[in-house]
Amino acid sequence: MKCKEASAVLIIRVGDAFCRSCFKEYFVHKFRAMLGKNRVVFPGEKVLLAYSGGPSSNAMVQQVQEGLSRDAPKKLRFIPGILFIDEGAVCNQSWEDRERTMSEIENILKATSFPFHILSLEQLFTLPQTMLQMNLAEIPKRDGSYKQAVGSFLGQQKAQAEDGVSDAADRLTQIHIADNSSVECSQSAAFSRPAAEHTAALRDMFNSAKTLTAKQELLHLLRNHLILHVARTHGYSKVMSGESCTRLAVRLLSNISLGRGAFLPLDTGFSDNRYGDVVIVRPMRDYSLKEISFYNRLFNVPSVFIPALDTKASGNSSIQHLSESFITKLQADFPSTVSTVYRTSEKLHVSRTDTTQPKNQQDKCLLCMCTLDTHTGPASAFFATQKSQQLSEKKSLKNVPSAKDSEKQCCNGGQCCKESASCTNSVTGTQDIVHLLCYSCRVTIKDLNSMDKLPSYILKEAEHRTRRMEMRKEIEEFLLDDHSEDI
Amino acid sequence: MVAPINLQLEFGGGAELLFDGVKKHHVTLPSQSDPWDIKHLLVWIKDNLLKERSELFIQGDTVRPGILVLVNDADWELMGELDYKLQDQDNIVFISTLHGG
Ligand SMILES: [Zn+2]
Ligand SMILES: [Zn+2]
């Protein structure tokens, strides 16, 4: 017990009991401390809050509101906007149910007075091909340190105050925010019903996934694409994602099982710079779901329960779900489980796969956009798995073209597929996409019955990259020949 | 014999799905020889309120791991957990922190 005055309302760690008001102070302080310690969100920066409707993201939005309304010097100084993505079609919800959920969400978001965006996952079918390309040119240049940035921001404000324009500027920002939100919610509702064919296409795509593991992973990947797209098109350079340490501990374990070990620092760390121009930050990663749920209950923070893919699923229905059952069961018997796993994640750093360096488009996974982990030597486990898979595929599919060089070997070794579109190994065949993916995304994609169901921005970009790689190969050969002659 | 007691039960975080989507329930526990504790309450909920898949709410003789229990807005870990003796007009809240509810 921190104070000896009030009665305790919850235990966070063994022997660590809090009364209501000490808990509030602790919770609010933790958010500010997390942002203060990491110093990646700059004053005046546009930050998109990725909001799922669940307890953690509601607590996050509430903390941002709290932080912005505070007096200097503890005031947060970034410019927030909120994004909610409706995934109802994937979980086979009716439009009426989705509409009800979205109006509930809309009411919560309106009350924040932040600008907000409500999209349906169907929007994936309208994304441009350039979506998956790195926007290296647009990385905002941050000169100097965080301290200087804060200093210059305060300097500007002071100068404005002395000129007496601070008030006017403040009012302008407010108008700007109000204006923004009115543009974004200009229709009678802030959301609109997606085209029926897009809903059908989305369902088709998820139905083509053979396992719940692949479905959950696919949803995670595609949702991130849509978040990135909204961030880029609306000029947000940071995205705040509300994962608690409980969720991150589960993700750490399940990502190892999903073959994403190489990306753990990005997938679970405080800041994730895989996209280059937009950086994901996870300010809730110090809170357990118990803390969050208590905070929301005690201080009337709303939240909306929305059924997910694993709702009412049995324990071993997917790797992600099984990892969650495992962690929560361990946590029940050993209350330090989550914090131990979580602290492990804090010690992980990206080493060779440094994503801050501008790289070739081809070096990034087409789907998760992490630096490819597949350029490994012939002695690696990855190589061995791939080899044995190729061999077993050859065995089972004798008359079907082999995995590699589909163009040359299909249709009995002829060149026919260049001319005829009837060839089954079209440009967007599995093999052509697979070589553009990291190990884990390859496993996910192999669980789909058909690649053609993927949204066109993915297929087109895959085609584009494949062509570029082929061109590069040709040039490389030429350059090598040239080089050897020189010697 | 103890007299019947009235409770308000609340389910949240998706746990309500196992109770026909109803979040708040006013219930009366019948008179019995021993005082009611949460252990008995869970058995009563399983027999009288749960509509489906009881393993998603109760495992063994306690709540499924990942479901928080609050007694009058305080952590049940401060109140003796399963052994907490229920009082008339108590408010017991069950919040699922699990991903799918
Ligand atoms: Zn206190
Ligand atoms: Zn990947």
Side-chain angles (χ1 to χ4, degrees):
Chain A
M1 200 59 189
K2 302 270 156 172
C3 71
K4 307 251 171 324
E5 291 140 41
S7 62
V9 292
L10 94 148
I11 295 182
I12 290 171
R13 285 170 298 268
V14 181
D16 222 355
F18 282 88
C19 78
R20 198 183 137 97
S21 69
C22 287
F23 174 57
K24 184 171 190 181
E25 198 181 306
Y26 155 89
F27 196 93
V28 171
H29 171 77
K30 204 142 114 171
F31 190 79
R32 197 176 59 234
M34 184 51 115
L35 290 177
K37 185 176 79 185
N38 290 284
R39 302 191 156 196
V40 293
V41 182
F42 287 79
E45 191 171 16
K46 276 184 83 177
V47 176
L48 183 62
L49 310 176
Y51 173 85
S52 71
S56 302
S57 53
N58 272 294
M60 176 172 78
V61 167
Q62 205 271 342
Q63 287 309 300
V64 170
Q65 276 184 287
E66 214 276 339
L68 289 167
S69 66
R70 236 177 269 140
D71 294 333
K74 290 176 176 176
K75 188 176 157 70
L76 296 177
R77 294 189 194 87
F78 56 83
I79 302 164
I82 306 178
L83 168 64
F84 173 78
I85 297 173
D86 145 54
E87 303 160 358
V90 173
C91 307
N92 283 318
Q93 283 187 283
S94 68
W95 173 249
E96 288 67 35
D97 285 343
R98 296 168 66 184
E99 217 176 6
R100 204 175 310 123
T101 303
M102 281 191 272
S103 2
E104 225 179 306
I105 296 284
E106 191 185 357
N107 286 334
I108 293 178
L109 298 186
K110 266 183 185 160
T112 65
S113 77
F114 298 157
F116 62 88
H117 318 257
I118 296 181
L119 294 184
S120 289
L121 199 63
E122 278 95 332
Q123 294 272 330
L124 286 169
F125 293 93
T126 65
L127 293 188
Q129 182 197 328
T130 49
M131 157 72 226
L132 293 171
Q133 292 168 7
M134 292 282 286
N135 259 353
L136 293 172
E138 286 174 32
I139 297 177
K141 286 273 176 291
R142 292 279 174 204
D143 297 323
S145 67
Y146 176 83
K147 224 174 184 172
Q148 281 172 329
V150 175
S152 75
F153 179 82
L154 291 177
Q156 273 172 24
Q157 278 202 330
K158 204 179 162 205
Q160 283 170 347
E162 279 161 5
D163 294 347
V165 291
S166 176
D167 253 13
D170 262 4
R171 245 176 285 136
L172 265 176
T173 349
Q174 270 165 13
I175 291 167
H176 176 67
I177 288 175
D179 193 42
N180 254 354
S181 55
S182 68
V183 170
E184 275 139 16
C185 340
S186 53
Q187 298 86 13
S188 54
F191 53 89
S192 52
R193 185 170 186 163
E197 74 251 36
H198 290 161
T199 304
L202 189 63
R203 287 200 172 135
D204 257 16
M205 170 168 59
F206 277 87
N207 288 336
S208 84
K210 283 175 271 185
T211 60
L212 183 61
T213 302
K215 280 187 184 108
Q216 287 186 279
E217 198 52 17
L218 191 64
L219 176 58
H220 182 70
L221 291 164
L222 297 178
R223 191 183 131 84
N224 284 347
H225 290 173
L226 201 48
I227 294 172
L228 175 62
H229 177 73
V230 171
R232 279 179 177 165
T233 49
H234 291 83
Y236 294 100
S237 45
K238 294 274 162 28
V239 171
M240 277 190 181
S241 185
E243 293 102 328
S244 60
C245 70
T246 314
R247 288 278 184 271
L248 289 174
V250 171
R251 184 181 294 171
L252 185 110
L253 193 69
S254 74
N255 279 11
I256 291 174
S257 321
L258 290 166
R260 298 192 57 83
F263 310 130
L264 289 180
L266 293 176
D267 287 339
T268 64
F270 174 76
S271 90
D272 173 351
N273 57 2
R274 78 183 67 180
Y275 305 126
D277 52 345
V278 174
V279 176
I280 313 287
V281 293
R282 304 189 175 95
M284 301 302 286
R285 69 192 296 279
D286 248 1
Y287 298 98
S288 70
L289 272 172
K290 181 177 179 181
E291 293 168 55
I292 290 166
S293 302
F294 266 86
Y295 186 85
N296 290 354
R297 167 85 195 176
L298 295 178
F299 302 103
N300 300 314
V301 179
S303 76
V304 181
F305 177 76
I306 304 169
L309 277 169
D310 57 352
T311 293
K312 290 188 188 172
S314 64
N316 53 3
S317 50
S318 75
I319 287 179
Q320 299 89 336
H321 199 61
L322 186 59
S323 305
E324 185 187 40
S325 306
F326 178 73
I327 292 271
T328 43
K329 263 182 205 139
L330 261 184
Q331 173 76 14
D333 293 331
F334 306 96
S336 58
T337 302
V338 164
S339 64
T340 306
V341 175
Y342 160 72
R343 268 188 268 118
T344 307
S345 83
E346 277 197 311
K347 294 187 182 99
L348 299 168
H349 297 281
V350 185
S351 57
R352 278 183 308 124
T353 52
D354 187 4
T355 52
T356 55
Q357 284 163 19
K359 298 216 174 175
N360 268 319
Q361 217 59 261
Q362 271 75 9
D363 294 333
K364 297 271 182 179
C365 172
L366 181 71
L367 289 181
C368 72
M369 295 159 129
C370 286
T371 305
L372 286 178
D373 55 352
T374 49
H375 299 306
T376 47
S380 70
F382 170 72
F383 189 81
T385 321
Q386 204 181 24
K387 198 78 209 162
S388 76
Q389 199 158 13
Q390 280 171 5
L391 289 173
S392 67
E393 270 167 12
K394 254 184 202 159
K395 220 186 232 171
S396 59
L397 309 167
K398 269 209 169 124
N399 334 335
V400 178
S402 89
K404 279 191 168 174
D405 295 324
S406 56
E407 234 171 55
K408 276 162 202 157
Q409 289 187 19
C410 79
C411 318
N412 298 319
Q415 286 281 66
C416 63
C417 51
K418 281 212 164 141
E419 283 91 30
S420 98
S422 65
C423 182
T424 48
N425 253 327
S426 69
V427 194
T428 53
T430 323
Q431 295 310 324
D432 293 293
I433 285 196
V434 158
H435 70 265
L436 301 168
L437 303 177
C438 71
Y439 171 72
S440 175
C441 292
R442 286 181 190 204
V443 175
T444 301
I445 283 301
K446 277 182 183 148
D447 254 354
L448 301 186
N449 278 321
S450 151
M451 297 304 113
D452 309 339
K453 306 271 199 274
L454 291 171
S456 67
Y457 71 95
I458 295 177
L459 298 177
K460 280 186 187 152
E461 179 63 14
E463 225 176 292
H464 173 73
R465 287 191 197 182
T466 306
R467 247 184 280 123
R468 289 265 314 255
M469 276 171 100
E470 277 163 9
M471 266 167 66
R472 204 164 57 161
K473 226 178 261 169
E474 280 170 33
I475 295 168
E476 257 168 27
E477 277 165 26
F478 174 73
L479 289 176
L480 274 174
D481 283 342
D482 200 42
H483 184 66
S484 58
E485 264 170 42
D486 277 359
I487 301 168
Chain B
M1 288 298 274
V2 291
I5 49 175
N6 295 304
L7 299 176
Q8 175 167 271
L9 304 179
E10 283 182 65
F11 303 95
E16 67 271 23
L17 292 188
L18 304 170
F19 301 87
D20 269 348
V22 180
K23 286 184 174 174
K24 283 189 190 183
H25 299 252
H26 293 275
V27 303
T28 305
L29 302 182
S31 144
Q32 63 168 29
S33 50
D34 298 321
W36 282 94
D37 56 20
I38 294 196
K39 196 173 186 165
H40 290 127
L41 171 67
L42 291 177
V43 176
W44 185 89
I45 288 175
K46 190 175 172 178
D47 294 341
N48 295 279
L49 275 189
L50 257 173
K51 300 293 176 187
E52 52 176 324
R53 310 281 304 275
S54 64
E55 78 280 5
L56 296 182
F57 188 71
I58 294 172
Q59 289 182 6
D61 61 358
T62 189
V63 287
R64 178 188 183 193
I67 295 180
L68 301 172
V69 186
L70 286 74
V71 176
N72 301 323
D73 273 348
D75 192 350
W76 79 327
E77 289 181 38
L78 291 162
M79 321 286 279
E81 302 186 30
L82 289 171
D83 297 328
Y84 171 77
K85 299 278 178 288
L86 292 161
Q87 314 285 316
D88 194 43
Q89 304 304 326
D90 271 349
N91 174 256
I92 313 293
V93 183
F94 299 91
I95 302 173
S96 173
T97 63
L98 296 156
H99 181 256

